[in-house]
Amino acid sequence: MKNNKSEETKDLQALMDKVPDHLFIKCPVCEENFYNKKLGEYKLCPNCGYGFRLGAQERINMTVDEFTPIDSEVSAPKRFLSDEKYAGKLEKSKKATDLNESVQTGFAKIGDTEFALGVMDSRFIMGSLGTATGEKLARLFEQATEKNLPVVVFSCSGGARMQEGIHSLMQMAKVSQAVSDHAEKGLLYISVLTDPTTGGVTASYAMEGDINISEPHTLIGFAGRRVIEKTIQQRPPKDFQRAETLLKNGFLDAIVKRDEMKSVLAKLLAWN
Amino acid sequence: MGKAYDRVLAARSADKISIQDLVAGITDDFMELHGDRAYSDDPAVYAGIGTIAGQPVTITSIQKGNDTDENIERHFGSAEPSGYRKALRLMKQAEKFNRPIINLINTPGAYPGMDAEYKGQGYMIAQSIMQGLKLKVPYISVIIGEGGSGGALALAVGDTVWALEDSIYSVLSPEGYATILWKDSSKAAEAAEQMQLTPKELLDNEIIDKIIPEVKDAKSMQNFKEALIEKINELNKLPKEELLAQRHERYRKFN
Ligand SMILES: [Zn+2]
């Protein structure tokens, strides 16, 4: 059985190697196969509207008119780098994303409206919440508070950064505190939960917005699916931990398709 | 077996003092209060009002069970969203009546169940953290046995965080850590050595502020009670702005 499968995979790989640019893509949500050109500029599944995962820069390019990054140089504190395996992972992620941490922060404009913007990148160690991730987000909220600006954060994260242990957990408190200070000044925070937003990020700033919105079929949860399956000894349904289910249960304000995100943000920013 | 893992086993030991005995030991009088005012009452969260040396305090806790039935009911000390909602409700009440808050924590983590997800486990932990950090009354947290991840942090964002000698506080269980990093949950002992989850390491990293000698008899109970009274008195003397500024600095420094 196992042998057969690996043979099959090999054949498929051989086939794919011959097809230039991986012409066909399978949607991870509806499992429909389609021609990659049909993804379009917003990278949406033409069948179910699922938005394929984006890098932070790609997201910024399609969502705002102007962006000036801050704290780009901030990366994992040196004290963690004695763990060689972790240091290697960081290097690989930095190369893959052109970022020094799992979030890009800065000041953005849509039209004339200025706001602080944070965008996480799931390619950077699963978008996990490292100490530097927390530091960049805390500074973003602090600067926005000082400048009287609203904040928009696009979250996507596998949760805590295991390699930084308890220090990762403390970031949940540090960022939440900065969110709270910003809120106390009467300023708007829009949290956009994108695929996937899980663990400690869901259990902190992703769920602390004045307005919490998401994209179609986004995975949002606290506990991991495998842990849940092991605990309750059954398989959750397909729509478990999907944005549509959270909307129905009262934990999201709206689900916004990616090609409408910019205009929805512009509207919400103007109203608050 | 490594030293850190011994601490893990001790933190989980069935001989560990129960939260209810601990509450009875430190208070002169205590009344349990129930309910999240939304839909439920989570038995994993034991909470209420009591007096310590005549001073009214609100106590919220996450507790394991003393036998199998209690453990099933309390999900082995894993709270559901309803439990966090109850705890937050009572902490806000404490703020209204200007009572200090004492949170006692013994949880392997928030309950990973389907219903817990449907009812907003992530949202409730987030709110407990965000609103907890801003409570304008003295807020003391003590890790009693296990301090597991976000489910523990939800009740541990106060002015000072202590830990009993036989306790651990970590981003996830050593078993989970071993599974994620090495795909082998049997390497939990090795994981524990790496995770810096023992009280001594937590103190060195300024994650906690004090180690409390294990409470196992009248004398150690008295010692714990006196430490609480002293800290409450100290925090009570601070003007609110100063209290909040110090708390702010406590969490801001984690960079
Ligand atoms: Zn699809």
Side-chain angles (χ1 to χ4, degrees), chain B residues 175-191:
Chain B
E175 290 77 11
Y177 185 91
T179 304
I180 289 179
L181 288 187
W182 308 314
K183 313 227 175 325
D184 184 355
S185 67
S186 69
K187 288 189 176 159
E190 242 177 287

Side-chain angles (χ1 to χ4, degrees), chain A residues 74 131-139 171 174, chain B residues 252 254-255:
Chain A
V74 176
T131 300
T133 314
E135 185 60 24
K136 288 180 81 172
L137 284 164
R139 288 188 196 174
Q171 303 312 310
K174 187 172 85 182
Chain B
R252 185 62 189 87
F254 294 119
N255 62 16

Side-chain angles (χ1 to χ4, degrees), chain A residues 79 135 142 160 162 171 173-174 177 180-181 184 202-204 207-208 221-223 228 231 240-241 249 251, chain B residues 110 112 114 117-123 126-127 130 133-134 149-150 153 169 171-172 177 248 251-252 254-255:
Chain A
R79 65 179 186 277
E135 185 60 24
E142 285 162 0
M162 294 308 145
Q171 303 312 310
K174 187 172 85 182
Q177 169 167 279
S180 195
D181 291 342
E184 278 183 351
T202 303
S204 63
M207 279 295 183
E208 293 170 350
F222 174 64
I228 294 170
T231 307
F240 183 63
Q241 296 186 324
N249 288 340
F251 293 98
Chain B
M114 242 161 70
E117 292 291 315
Y118 286 142
K119 289 180 173 148
Q121 190 71 285
Y123 174 81
Q127 292 301 316
M130 186 169 71
L133 284 161
K134 291 289 178 181
S149 188
L153 181 71
Y169 188 15
V171 71
L172 86 172
Y177 185 91
H248 195 279
Y251 296 93
R252 185 62 189 87
F254 294 119
N255 62 16

Side-chain angles (χ1 to χ4, degrees), chain B residues 90-107:
Chain B
L90 292 170
M91 288 194 280
K92 300 287 278 182
Q93 185 187 73
E95 182 182 43
K96 177 180 176 186
F97 295 102
N98 203 23
R99 280 195 293 270
I101 295 164
I102 298 171
N103 289 346
L104 308 175
I105 297 154
N106 191 3
T107 178

